[in-house]
Amino acid sequence: MRRPLIAGNWKMNLRRESGAALARTIVQLRSPKADIAVCPPFVYLEKVADVLRGSTVELGAQNASQFDDGAYTGEVSCEMLVELGCRYVIVGHSERRTVLGETDEIVNAKVLKALAAGLRPIVCVGEHLAERESGQTFAVVRRQFERSLAGLSADQMKQIVIAYEPIWAIGTGKVATPKQAQEVHADLRNQVENRYNSAIAQQSIILYGGSVKPDNAAELMGQPDIDGALVGGASLTAATFLAIVDACH
Ligand code: PEP
């Protein structure tokens, strides 16, 4: 049985006190139906870590460097994130792939560094609208899977969370239908099985992301291969985020 994971990606939103207040409300949730993680901006990680301490809610970062130390102005290493109490790190979010030029090779280097530091990478894959409309969805997502997760041992693969996030659904209010999402999730699970084995495929956590809201969460997460959600906009208020957690089966 896979336990669902709901991860909130705050992106570049909230401020020190509003983020801490949101985290304080989330930790009060008793008997959540899912594992929960929140991913604040780097500068608020330490503050939010203080709020989460002693709770079951995990801390995640939104990005990490593919380097350990050195002259990389503005970057933050995986070891630094561990020091701040992070358990997860989002890697290869489409906003970083498309706006900041992150390639599959860079994503792969970040995944390997994150694993070496003891973090669980949440690795994002997903197609552009034009790619979906021209029938390339499966080819694009398979290629991202292959390259972004290249060179991982079976034990390393067990630490990976995959997030299928169709780019056309992120922040747009357009959500993939449960059927569209399920097809890609099932295909990703097959990729894991083909490369590793069915036990690893069956335990792999594959999240859906892209305009998940309280009113569509239950149907999406009711699909057999959807194991939770990476939530952007709806993770910024406790009411919507907790309603999504509550929609887990
Ligand atoms: C995201 O940025 O990962 C995301 C899924 O955003 P939203 O929920 O706002 O579409």
Side-chain angles (χ1 to χ4, degrees), residues 90-175:
I90 300 171
V91 183
H93 191 281
S94 66
E95 287 152 15
R96 300 200 60 84
R97 287 180 184 265
T98 59
V99 182
L100 299 162
E102 232 169 64
T103 62
D104 286 324
E105 289 64 35
I106 294 173
V107 173
N108 184 233
K110 292 183 175 197
V111 166
L112 292 169
K113 282 292 174 207
L115 290 167
L119 292 165
R120 290 196 72 179
I122 300 176
V123 184
C124 301
V125 296
E127 79 286 1
H128 287 276
L129 184 59
E131 292 167 333
R132 173 159 285 270
E133 288 177 343
S134 58
Q136 295 178 71
T137 297
F138 291 99
V140 168
V141 171
R142 283 177 196 168
R143 189 179 63 231
Q144 290 173 330
F145 169 85
E146 277 304 321
R147 295 183 182 171
S148 302
L149 297 175
L152 267 61
S153 69
D155 278 343
Q156 286 176 315
M157 188 63 211
K158 291 180 192 164
Q159 295 302 314
I160 298 291
V161 175
I162 300 173
Y164 169 56
E165 300 208 306
I167 295 168
W168 48 272
I170 296 181
T172 58
K174 282 187 205 161
V175 63

Side-chain angles (χ1 to χ4, degrees), residues 9 11 90 93 95 124 165 169-173 208-213 230-234:
N9 175 12
K11 308 193 187 188
I90 300 171
H93 191 281
E95 287 152 15
C124 301
E165 300 208 306
I170 296 181
T172 58
Y208 170 78
S211 296
V212 176
K213 308 282 179 225
L230 181 55
V231 186

